[in-house]
Amino acid sequence: MNKILLVDDDIELSALLRDYLDREGYAVSMVRNGEDGVREALEGGYGLVVLDVMMPGMGGIEALRSIRAVSRVPVLMLTARGDDVDRIVGLELGADDYLPKPCNPRELVARIRAILRRARSEHPADGPLVVGALSLWPGKRLATWAGRPVDLTSTEFNLLESLTRGAGRPVSKAELSEQGLGRPLARYDRSVDVHMSSLRHKLGPLGDGRSCIQTVRGLGYQLIRD
């Protein structure tokens, strides 16, 4: 879990982040382009990938798409500050979180710790959480819908677990951000909304055709029982 892959063509920033992560106890490998990043992410046994969006050749979005085609390794995207499009697209493609550049190394470490903490098995003895057609095994990080396995990223699983444990009541976006993303909800942050859209797509509808995840205006989201 402590092996980190940093994919960024910014040599100076990469060296700064690597030195900081090294001091925090992480083993960091660096590559300069998307092609090498995809190969390393899929073959190197990393606990997490930090992936820059803007790179020559294969950019971060294309690299993320290639990684997600075959792997659930947690991915933290580095995006241009103020570029909401790249952030939303990255989250929709399965990124676990994002951080605008230039980023503070301390915040990067905090985001990495939050993602890895949530990716670990925190409830190894737990039986399945069952809500209607949904079954969730927190210890095994497995989910099924009507007996069919659901392929979730680490962050999607965290958010779905929060909704499942609070099934039948609204769970606020602030609570989902803390429990699912491991950080406070920031103003104008749409990460939770984008992840919820992805979860709705991956889960099946209820018997009446509605999504099992309902928006509760002014409150957050609610997992409803069929």
Side-chain angles (χ1 to χ4, degrees):
M1 296 292 285
N2 284 340
K3 286 184 62 178
I4 304 294
L5 175 64
L6 179 58
V7 186
D8 195 331
D9 65 322
D10 187 329
I11 298 176
E12 185 175 344
L13 177 62
S14 295
L16 172 66
L17 296 179
R18 180 192 59 190
D19 290 346
Y20 197 93
L21 289 167
D22 283 344
R23 291 197 296 270
E24 294 295 323
Y26 295 101
V28 181
S29 298
M30 299 191 305
V31 295
R32 306 297 187 202
N33 59 74
E35 291 85 351
D36 291 341
V38 171
R39 183 175 62 254
E40 274 293 302
L42 298 180
E43 299 176 359
Y46 293 94
L48 182 141
V49 177
V50 179
L51 180 61
D52 184 33
V53 168
M54 298 297 295
M55 291 183 291
M58 177 184 283
I61 296 298
E62 185 179 352
L64 174 63
R65 184 180 287 109
S66 298
I67 292 170
R68 279 290 172 261
V70 293
S71 174
R72 297 293 99 190
V73 61
V75 175
L76 173 64
M77 301 292 290
L78 298 180
T79 68
R81 187 172 299 277
D83 195 340
D84 291 335
V85 173
D86 281 341
R87 298 176 192 178
I88 293 172
V89 170
L91 292 172
E92 288 176 339
L93 288 176
D96 292 270
D97 204 352
Y98 69 86
L99 193 60
K101 293 177 67 175
C103 60
N104 185 310
R106 291 182 61 184
E107 185 173 3
L108 176 64
V109 169
R111 295 288 182 94
I112 289 173
R113 284 176 174 166
I115 294 172
L116 293 179
R117 183 170 61 248
R118 292 292 178 175
R120 293 188 180 98
S121 174
E122 297 179 348
H123 308 284
D126 280 2
L129 304 172
V130 180
V131 178
L134 176 66
S135 297
L136 215 65
W137 287 263
K140 298 178 181 179
R141 310 288 290 179
L142 296 176
T144 63
W145 179 267
R148 171 182 58 84
V150 183
D151 189 15
L152 302 174
T153 68
S154 176
T155 296
E156 288 170 350
F157 189 96
N158 298 336
L159 290 167
L160 186 57
E161 181 181 351
S162 296
L163 288 175
T164 304
R165 292 186 181 277
R169 68 170 179 85
V171 183
S172 70
K173 288 174 63 174
E175 186 177 350
L176 287 167
S177 184
E178 288 279 5
Q179 296 179 359
L181 302 178
R183 57 180 172 84
L185 181 67
R187 192 177 184 184
Y188 306 123
D189 189 346
R190 295 186 56 200
S191 299
V192 170
D193 303 310
V194 177
H195 286 303
M196 287 298 158
S197 176
S198 177
L199 283 171
R200 284 169 169 155
H201 178 73
K202 291 182 177 183
L203 298 176
L206 298 175
D208 58 7
R210 293 179 300 159
S211 169
C212 64
I213 299 176
Q214 295 292 307
T215 301
V216 183
R217 188 175 297 277
L219 292 176
Y221 292 92
Q222 178 176 337
L223 182 67
I224 60 177
R225 303 175 184 273
D226 192 359

